[in-house]
Every structure is written in structure tokens, then in C-alpha cells.
Amino acid sequence: MLKSAGCDIVAALALTLLARYVAAGPDPNPLVICSSFVHKLIRKERADLRTEAQAVQALLSQIELARLGPTSNASEIAELTSWLTANQSKAGAHLDAASLCLTNRLSPSAFNGRPTFSILLEYFKRPWGIHRMATSLRDACARAGLPCELVVNVDNPHEAGAWAEVVQQYRGFVVPVFSANVHEARGYNRAAGLARGNYLIIWQDDQLAPSQSSTWLTELLALFHAWPRLAIVGMNTYRLCKDREPTNRFLTTSWNPDPRTGVRWSFVQLVDFAPLAIRASAFSELGGLEEGFSRPGDCGIWGDWELCSRAWLAGWQVGYLYLEGRDGDGHEGGTHTSSNAERCWGRQQHVAASGFGKRFGQGSYQLELCERVRQLNVASFDLARPEDCPYGTEATKFGNCTRY
Ligand SMILES: *[C@@H]1O[C@H](CO)[C@@H](O)[C@H](O)[C@H]1NC(C)=O
Ligand SMILES: *[C@@H]1O[C@H](CO)[C@@H](O)[C@H](O)[C@H]1NC(C)=O
Ligand SMILES: *[C@@H]1O[C@H](CO)[C@@H](O)[C@H](O)[C@H]1NC(C)=O
């Protein structure tokens, strides 16, 4: 009885996923051939065929580009052509139908030229730090061999001249947009709208990337590839279970590295700014940061937890990766200075806490979410020693590490 109910649920889920694909736009795909083709495929087959069809399309355009112009290179064309043949036969008999029916949504990574990471910055009056920060991020991406861009909401346009120079100096890496003191939530949303990368990293204008190692970037990428429902990876502090923890946790998480990626990380309930990485697609699907909690000109201190809560409730997952070796620029930040304290913390604590409550109820769902996070953790990770369990401790007075 239980078993067949389970099968029904699986079947219902499969149908929902199918319906979601077919109705990816406002209406289902209008072609009869596509509707019958797509209905014969399971989700994984569709995803694989789409990837294969786009690999062929990418190679076809690369070959045409390589043939044009004075730099045409016969051995490059020969190499591309042999890849094309191999990819065509891999895609097999379904290639034409897959091209017609499955490639209306591009996988940007199949084609050249898009940045992997768009680092988003909200900038306000820290001229001493511009070059050190831009250099540290540019070098971090170069060491990782990953294309990045730094999209900056310059919130004090009187420094436009300095930023124009930076654009020229960093040749395409830095992309500024100028606003008149709209502050964090609006600034990051604006920057995200300009960003072209697959993944966004919300960064702060007083932070420098680690100067030696770029493993955090390759680890982020590995996590996003291996865990398709993981939308957000925080790298500042985290909560495994907000209502059962006296304060935010940070530093290395206690699970053994995850066997899929070899990366040491954890599922968590909430992470905060910054840095905080999020799939660009998820950021857009979730509607970005809530802009209603703060007035233009005020800081945004609740947007991070609120975004994580929406992510979990929309079916995404949130994780934490400890970023070792991050540095500050040696100057005090603006959020905690006394003139800003009331506007920033007092007002927002009030507005956002009630807005958060209105959206999600008065915390009644919190422990259920904590349990979901705990189950994902104990199912996905092992501990080197039982006493490493992060649950049932002073820092997290919730749960234990029993698997079932
Ligand atoms: C021609 O293409 C081959 C293969 O891609 C490459 O190794 C070689 O450096 C290219 N030669 C020139 C002159 O660009
Ligand atoms: C397909 O094309 C890629 C390059 O785009 C190449 O690396 C790969 O070897 C090709 N062959 C197969 C079977 O995928
Ligand atoms: C661990 O947690 C589970 C689920 O909440 C509970 O049933 C079990 O009694 C706990 N075990 C211990 C040793 O506390």
C-alpha cells in the first residue's frame, strides 16, 4: 500500500516536471511534433539531449567563424570538424528533433564568451580600496582559469571619473553602473540585471579576495555542477537552525568532504552577506532581493536571510563553504558607524522582522526547515568522529547526527 502510494507520488512528480518543461513559456510549445517528442522522454534524457544538441550547434558556429577571415586555420577547422562528427553521432537519431524542440532555452556554458562568475559589488565612497579590490578579484579568477566580470553599482556617481579609468585599466573585467545612493538591495538587484555570468557572487566593497589560493572559486563551481538544486552558497557566516542558535556560526564545517566533489561544506538554513554566491537563474526566478525592507539610502541587513528563506521554500537548497584567507581593506565599514546605527539596525530590524514574519508566518515553519536541512546533511555527509557532529551542541541546540 505504502509502496504504491510512493509510486503514485513519483509518477505525479514526473508529470509535474514534464508539465513544467512543456509549459516553459506562457504557453506549451505549439508544434505537435515537439509535444509528442518531448512526452516520450524522461527528464534526464531531455536534459542530456538538449546539452548534446547545443554542443553540436556550438561547434557548427565555431567552424563557420574559423572559416572566415584572414586567420583561417586549417588544422583548427579539421579538429573542430572531427569533434562535430563525434558529437553528432553521440546525439544520434534524435538530433534534429532535439534541435527543434529542446534548444529554445540556451545553456550559455555551451557557447563561448560568457563569464562563469559575475561578482556584484555595491560601492559607496571607498576610493582607497578600488584598485586593490579589483586586482585581488581579477587575479583570483585568472589563477582559477575562470572568466569573471566585476559588476559594480557605484552608488556615489561623483566618482564616475575614477571608475571610467578603472574600466579602461581592467579592460572589460569591470562593469560599472551609476546610481544615486540606492543602497544594497536595489544596488545588487541592478548589478544582477547587468550581469552576464552563470553564477553571481555578492561581494562587499571592503573585502579582498584571498591572495594565494583560488580554490574557493573552483570549489563553488564544483558544488553548483554536482548539486543541481543548490542555489545559494554563503561564504561569510551561517545558521544551521536560526531559532536554536545564539549567534551566527563560521569557520570550516565539520562534515567530511562530500564524496561527489571532494569539497568540505554543509547544507545550512541561512547564510549572510558577503560573499554569497547564487545561480543567476535562481536569483532571477526568485525575484532577486526584497527591496521593500529599506528606503533608498539605508543599508540592507535582512535581505540575505530573507533570500535564503525564499530559496528553501521555492524548492532550492542553501549551503555554506568556508572561505579561508579573505581580507578586509583595513578601513571601517559604513554599516556599523554610530550615525548609521539607528537607520540601519533599529529601523530595519523593525520593518524587516515584521515583513519577514508577514511573508513566512511567525517562525512556525522554522524547525521544520531545520529538520529538512539536518536530514540533507546526515544523508549527504559522513563525520570523521562522532563528536564532530555540529548538532545537539551549544552552538546549535537542535537535533543530532543520527541518520535515520
Ligand atoms: C591552428 O590551430 C591549432 C589547433 O587548434 C593550434 O594548435 C595552432 O596553434 C593554430 N595555429 C595558429 C597559427 O593559430
Ligand atoms: C564533442 O565536442 C567537444 C568540444 O566541443 C569535444 O571536446 C568532444 O571530444 C567531442 N566529442 C564527443 C563525443 O563529445
Ligand atoms: C536523534 O534524533 C532523532 C530524530 O529527531 C530522535 O528520534 C532520536 O531519539 C535522537 N537520538 C538521540 C540519541 O538523542
Side-chain angles (χ1 to χ4, degrees):
M1 184 61 210
L2 241 174
K3 194 154 193 266
S4 90
C7 291
D8 286 350
I9 291 168
V10 172
L13 190 64
L15 277 177
T16 316
L17 294 172
L18 202 58
R20 265 177 60 172
Y21 165 73
V22 175
D27 281 319
N29 184 315
L31 305 182
V32 175
I33 178 187
C34 287
S35 126
S36 63
F37 174 65
V38 164
H39 275 87
K40 283 188 209 118
L41 305 171
I42 60 168
R43 185 181 166 83
K44 168 130 180 37
E45 291 171 332
R46 271 200 319 272
D48 290 349
L49 265 176
R50 183 162 71 102
T51 307
E52 286 162 11
Q54 292 198 1
V56 169
Q57 291 168 3
L59 284 165
L60 285 168
S61 31
Q62 274 176 273
I63 291 169
E64 290 313 310
L65 287 173
R67 280 200 180 116
L68 292 171
T71 56
S72 172
N73 172 340
S75 64
E76 185 190 355
I77 293 171
E79 186 176 39
L80 289 168
T81 307
S82 75
W83 285 344
L84 175 66
T85 314
N87 277 272
Q88 279 169 329
S89 64
K90 189 171 168 208
H94 292 310
L95 184 56
D96 286 346
S99 296
L100 179 65
C101 303
L102 297 178
T103 63
N104 49 5
R105 185 162 68 83
L106 294 181
S107 311
S109 53
F111 305 88
N112 291 331
R114 281 216 192 181
T116 303
F117 289 110
S118 293
I119 302 161
L120 310 185
L121 193 67
E122 162 68 15
Y123 174 85
F124 192 70
K125 295 188 185 168
R126 300 181 79 80
W128 55 82
I130 297 177
H131 283 89
R132 280 181 70 196
M133 185 187 49
T135 304
S136 87
L137 289 165
R138 182 196 58 189
D139 293 352
C141 293
R143 273 195 308 269
L146 292 168
C148 300
E149 61 180 4
L150 178 62
V151 184
V152 190
N153 181 56
V154 179
D155 232 359
N156 54 320
H158 72 269
E159 289 183 31
W163 280 97
E165 274 170 34
V166 174
V167 171
Q168 199 165 15
Q169 184 182 342
Y170 290 83
R171 303 191 68 83
F173 174 66
V174 178
V175 183
V177 58
F178 299 99
S179 303
N181 201 8
V182 296
H183 237 293
E184 264 121 331
R186 297 165 190 81
Y188 285 129
N189 279 346
R190 180 161 285 164
L194 287 183
R196 297 171 58 246
N198 292 330
Y199 307 98
L200 312 176
I201 303 179
I202 292 178
W203 197 262
Q204 248 160 238
D205 61 3
D206 55 356
Q207 296 176 329
L208 300 175
S211 59
Q212 302 299 322
S213 157
S214 290
T215 49
W216 59 286
L217 285 170
T218 45
E219 287 179 349
L220 274 179
L221 199 56
L223 291 182
F224 283 128
H225 281 167
W227 297 87
R229 293 160 71 191
L230 183 64
I232 297 178
V233 180
M235 290 171 282
N236 189 44
T237 73
Y238 69 95
R239 297 267 182 139
L240 286 173
C241 182
K242 172 169 92 61
D243 285 356
R244 293 294 178 85
E245 287 168 334
T247 187
N248 293 352
R249 306 187 56 148
F250 60 107
L251 300 178
T252 316
T253 49
S254 31
W255 315 109
N256 283 343
D258 113 57
R260 289 194 200 177
T261 60
V263 176
R264 193 180 281 276
W265 66 289
S266 179
F267 288 103
V268 299
Q269 186 192 1
L270 303 168
V271 291
D272 65 356
F273 297 153
L276 178 155
I278 178 166
R279 285 178 200 276
S281 57
F283 191 82
S284 144
E285 250 182 57
L286 291 167
L289 292 171
E290 157 75 80
E291 296 189 9
F293 288 173
S294 67
R295 300 174 305 185
D298 288 357
C299 72
I301 55 167
W302 265 80
D304 36 22
W305 281 9
E306 198 272 343
L307 180 70
C308 293
S309 302
R310 270 187 288 131
W312 277 115
L313 296 178
W316 294 100
Q317 299 162 347
V318 178
Y320 175 79
L321 172 72
Y322 174 55
L323 171 52
E324 198 170 0
R326 193 188 82 208
D327 210 353
D329 69 359
H331 294 251
E332 199 188 354
T335 303
H336 297 272
T337 54
S338 54
S339 61
N340 271 339
E342 172 47 29
R343 279 197 316 167
C344 183
W345 293 91
R347 169 185 289 272
Q348 271 207 48
Q349 204 77 328
H350 177 73
V351 176
S354 74
F356 196 72
K358 276 187 196 115
R359 176 161 295 142
F360 299 125
Q362 293 303 330
S364 51
Y365 74 100
Q366 294 284 338
L367 293 185
E368 195 177 336
L369 208 45
C370 294
E371 177 56 13
R372 167 82 180 136
V373 172
R374 191 194 73 83
Q375 283 172 5
L376 279 167
N377 274 328
V378 296
S380 311
F381 300 103
D382 291 318
L383 290 168
R385 305 169 308 167
E387 58 267 37
D388 292 337
C389 176
Y391 287 103
T393 58
E394 274 305 301
T396 303
K397 296 190 185 70
F398 177 86
N400 59 45
C401 287
T402 309
R403 195 156 272 178
Y404 299 110

